[in-house]
Amino acid sequence: MASDHESRSGAESATEKNSATTGTITSNNGENHLKRHLGNRQIQLMAMGASIGTSLFVGIGTGLTAGGPGSLLLAFAVYSCILAPINNCAAEMIVYMPVPGSFMRMAGKWVDPALGFMAGWNFFLYESILIPFEVSALSAVLTTWNENIPVWAPCLVCMVAWGFLNLVAVEHFGNAEFVLSGFKILLILVVFVFTFVVMVGGNPKHDAFGFRYWDDPGAFAPHITEGTLGQFYGFIHCLRLASLTIVGSEYISILAPEAERPRTYLKTAFKTIYWRFLLLFMGCALSIGILIPWNDAIMNSSAASPFVLAMNNLKIDVLPHLINALMAAAIFSAGNGYVFCSSRSLHCLALEGHAPKFLSKCNKQGIPYYAFGVTMLFPMLSLLQVVKSQNAGKLVVMLGDVTATAQLINYFVMSTTYICFYRAMKRQGIDRSTLPYVGWMQPFCGYVGAVSMVLIAIMYGYTLFIPGQFRVMDFFICYTVPILGVLIFTAYKFKIKRTHMVSADEADLVWEKPAIDAYEDSLVTPPSRLADELMALVGRRMRRNSSVEHIFVWYDRKYPQGGW
């Protein structure tokens, strides 16, 4: 992220067109500048799979146990419908103004500086706490192969690997996430194919069970109590799980300042989110409900992935090891993404004066190395398992519960910021049709997103309101983050800085737009398409084989500009 002065310097440097072939932007003084080194294929694959992690492959079993396959699928569908309007809001703002810090800075610029302060620290702590969450989950997956793996080993390996990928250059991070996100997509496709094959009888038992488990033990499981009320509690539990599992818009937002062509590639990435909600998240929820009954005794007592447990139930030997390997790569990738987001959000806080200034410094490759160093302290929290190594699964669940409400705050901030952005556009007479991305049904989507996040945050601790179910620890787990967010906002607004709400007339809708326009105008090569980049990537690998060289010679002659 850069200040206004630094942004103008970046724009002046961009006009030199010294980055026309690489799609990057540099400056004479790169001390506080991120670099635009993420290409189209990297951004699109990360949009599809980068933030998919532990909750989808491991934690989803808790939702099946509590609510049954019907409640799980319905909850994932409902929450996807809630996040779609929020993604619509984020896309319009961030494609228009792809600045470092994304919605966190926008909240301070267009709503209230106090909201920006709270949003920045909330997002940093949310991403940072998820890092040991993924390390703990990786440890749990690895123990399915060998229970004697030291607890500290996954933490050490992850810290070294994440350090290499995040410190060398952002393009290496992007390339790694491109490959790892591909593994995640492959993992989900394997799960889908496996589900279809075994449900129609392609399993060692030759049992075409289809949707049997939707009838016996049933589609809707009672939770806490019996009857219809218990089934409703089961649905609420699944909806709470969905709020932890289904994410994505905030991750793309953080990529904005390091995208080669932010207004072109980010627009496509945000559109990809809708398909990911439908195919990946809901598809996994449907698959697990087909593969294993919600009353499976082993699933209720194991921290392993329910997909692996389903394969073991069908006496399938080799595939569980493949799934575990791909799942380990997926969890490692999710942690790598959280390290990236955490370091960038801390860098943003420092540039805005909300954190020590030295954390804003970047090296020549555009890496905020001090912010990264602070971020890498968080994986060490996973070493808490050394005290009680048998509670790895419980630690995963606890960390997930604590951080889930922080994610709700992120989406509430996005929605609220968009409402103010929309009002400012209307008040200042700016035609939204001139924006590079125009959201649908606005500002209705903004209000739906904001109200929905408040309601879900309230119901997150629904068990506390059931007679005889109140637990002090559960209260702190469910509501500490929202209460702390309100306190931080209030203290900053009324005591520390005494800020005021930004009126629609005062909102700076120009901001860093001239610098971004100048940068994009400086690019002389046309934007690439994902298919072209993938073809070129495959071509570089296969050209070593002379027998297929003539295929690529023909392709280059027929499509000199990339084709397709």
Side-chain angles (χ1 to χ4, degrees):
M1 182 182 343
S3 62
D4 291 341
H5 173 71
E6 291 165 338
S7 298
R8 295 188 188 98
S9 298
E12 293 168 0
S13 176
T15 58
E16 297 175 4
K17 299 185 180 181
N18 61 351
S19 57
T21 60
T22 63
T24 62
I25 185 170
T26 61
S27 64
N28 295 329
N29 177 15
E31 186 176 84
N32 296 327
H33 285 270
L34 303 175
K35 307 291 183 181
R36 295 190 180 275
H37 288 309
L38 295 178
N40 191 26
R41 64 179 175 86
Q42 298 162 326
I43 291 175
Q44 302 313 322
L45 263 292
M46 284 190 280
M48 292 184 66
S51 59
I52 296 175
T54 306
S55 297
L56 186 61
F57 301 126
V58 180
I60 195 171
T62 63
L64 180 64
T65 301
S71 291
L72 183 64
L73 181 60
L74 181 60
F76 272 53
V78 169
Y79 196 74
S80 295
C81 292
I82 292 173
L83 284 196
I86 298 175
N87 181 74
N88 186 45
C89 295
E92 182 171 322
M93 293 188 297
I94 292 165
V95 172
Y96 169 68
M97 194 74 71
V99 296
S102 63
F103 67 93
M104 295 171 282
R105 288 184 73 196
M106 294 172 183
K109 198 77 172 180
W110 297 335
V111 184
D112 192 309
L115 186 64
F117 177 83
M118 185 275 290
W121 280 106
N122 177 78
F123 187 77
F124 167 70
L125 293 174
Y126 164 72
E127 295 290 328
S128 299
I129 292 175
L130 282 177
I131 300 172
F133 171 72
E134 298 298 333
V135 175
S136 300
L138 181 61
S139 178
V141 170
L142 295 178
T143 55
T144 61
W145 284 315
N146 188 344
E147 295 182 356
N148 297 321
I149 296 177
V151 174
W152 53 264
C155 177
L156 179 61
V157 171
C158 286
M159 290 182 67
V160 172
W162 290 336
F164 173 77
L165 294 175
N166 282 270
L167 279 179
V168 177
V170 70
E171 59 262 38
H172 295 312
F173 164 82
N175 289 331
E177 282 301 299
F178 170 77
V179 174
L180 293 171
S181 295
F183 283 151
K184 292 182 184 181
I185 303 302
L186 175 62
L187 170 59
I188 293 176
L189 291 178
V190 169
V191 168
F192 290 170
V193 172
F194 167 78
T195 302
F196 176 76
V197 171
V198 298
M199 72 182 292
V200 298
N203 57 75
K205 297 180 179 181
H206 303 291
D207 179 16
F209 54 86
F211 286 85
R212 177 186 302 164
Y213 300 136
W214 283 64
D215 293 326
D216 181 20
F220 298 94
H223 183 55
I224 299 177
T225 186
E226 297 297 326
T228 305
L229 182 60
Q231 293 177 345
F232 175 73
Y233 289 152
F235 168 76
I236 296 299
H237 186 93
C238 291
L239 188 61
R240 188 171 73 172
L241 173 68
S243 70
L244 172 64
T245 306
I246 306 175
V247 296
S249 301
E250 72 288 355
Y251 192 87
I252 299 176
S253 303
I254 296 299
L255 298 177
E258 297 176 75
E260 289 180 357
R261 291 179 177 272
R263 290 189 175 142
T264 302
Y265 298 157
L266 292 179
K267 182 191 300 185
T268 305
F270 276 112
K271 291 180 179 179
T272 303
I273 291 291
Y274 303 112
W275 290 104
R276 192 176 69 161
F277 290 161
L278 176 64
L279 298 179
L280 304 186
F281 292 113
M282 293 177 60
C284 283
L286 176 62
S287 295
I288 195 59
I290 293 173
L291 291 173
I292 193 168
W294 56 261
N295 62 350
D296 184 275
I298 298 178
M299 185 174 64
N300 291 332
S301 60
S302 175
S305 169
F307 295 107
V308 174
L309 295 177
M311 294 172 186
N312 292 333
N313 289 344
L314 293 170
K315 307 301 182 183
I316 297 176
D317 296 327
V318 178
L319 194 56
H321 295 289
L322 174 62
I323 294 297
N324 270 332
L326 291 173
M327 193 159 55
I331 294 172
F332 173 84
S333 170
N336 189 40
Y338 296 141
V339 169
F340 178 87
C341 290
S342 179
S343 61
R344 269 39 177 196
S345 58
L346 186 57
H347 171 258
C348 160
L349 287 166
L351 284 172
E352 290 293 298
H354 301 327
K357 194 66 177 178
F358 74 93
L359 295 172
S360 66
K361 292 184 178 180
C362 297
N363 59 20
K364 293 181 180 180
Q365 287 74 39
I367 306 298
Y369 52 95
Y370 283 124
F372 172 79
V374 173
T375 298
M376 291 308 291
L377 297 175
F378 284 86
M380 297 181 184
L381 291 175
S382 64
L383 297 177
L384 291 173
Q385 296 178 69
V386 173
V387 180
K388 292 183 179 180
S389 60
Q390 299 299 320
N391 289 331
K394 293 182 180 180
L395 181 61
V396 170
V397 174
M398 185 188 70
L399 290 175
D401 287 342
V402 170
T403 57
T405 49
Q407 180 68 314
L408 300 178
I409 293 175
N410 293 330
Y411 290 140
F412 173 80
V413 170
M414 287 183 184
S415 303
T416 303
T417 302
Y418 181 82
I419 293 171
C420 295
F421 169 74
Y422 180 90
R423 289 176 178 175
M425 293 282 290
K426 190 173 182 180
R427 181 71 62 84
Q428 297 180 26
I430 300 176
D431 186 0
R432 288 178 58 244
S433 64
T434 62
L435 301 180
Y437 181 94
V438 180
W440 37 269
M441 295 180 65
Q442 294 292 13
F444 175 74
C445 288
Y447 289 107
V448 169
V451 173
S452 298
M453 290 301 107
V454 172
L455 294 177
I456 293 176
I458 293 173
M459 73 84 194
Y460 192 79
Y462 71 98
T463 58
L464 299 170
F465 305 102
I466 301 175
Q469 295 292 323
F470 183 86
R471 302 289 186 275
V472 174
M473 182 57 68
D474 290 344
F475 176 84
F476 282 106
I477 288 176
C478 295
Y479 296 117
T480 293
V481 172
I483 292 174
L484 188 61
V486 172
L487 292 177
I488 291 174
F489 173 82
T490 303
Y492 191 88
K493 180 176 179 61
F494 296 107
K495 293 292 184 181
I496 300 175
K497 293 294 185 179
R498 299 184 183 276
T499 63
H500 67 279
M501 292 284 293
V502 179
S503 68
D505 294 317
E506 296 175 339
D508 186 0
L509 300 178
V510 177
W511 196 8
E512 296 190 13
K513 183 177 183 298
I516 298 167
D517 291 342
Y519 162 68
E520 293 216 327
D521 290 342
S522 73
L523 301 174
V524 296
T525 56
S528 61
R529 298 180 60 184
L530 178 60
D532 299 331
E533 289 196 23
L534 293 177
M535 183 66 181
L537 183 64
V538 173
R540 286 196 294 271
R541 300 292 184 269
M542 296 183 63
R543 280 179 189 272
R544 299 174 185 175
N545 187 341
S546 59
S547 63
V548 296
E549 170 68 17
H550 66 279
I551 298 176
F552 294 98
V553 172
W554 170 85
Y555 179 83
D556 291 339
R557 290 175 178 174
K558 187 170 181 64
Y559 301 108
Q561 300 300 324
W564 290 28

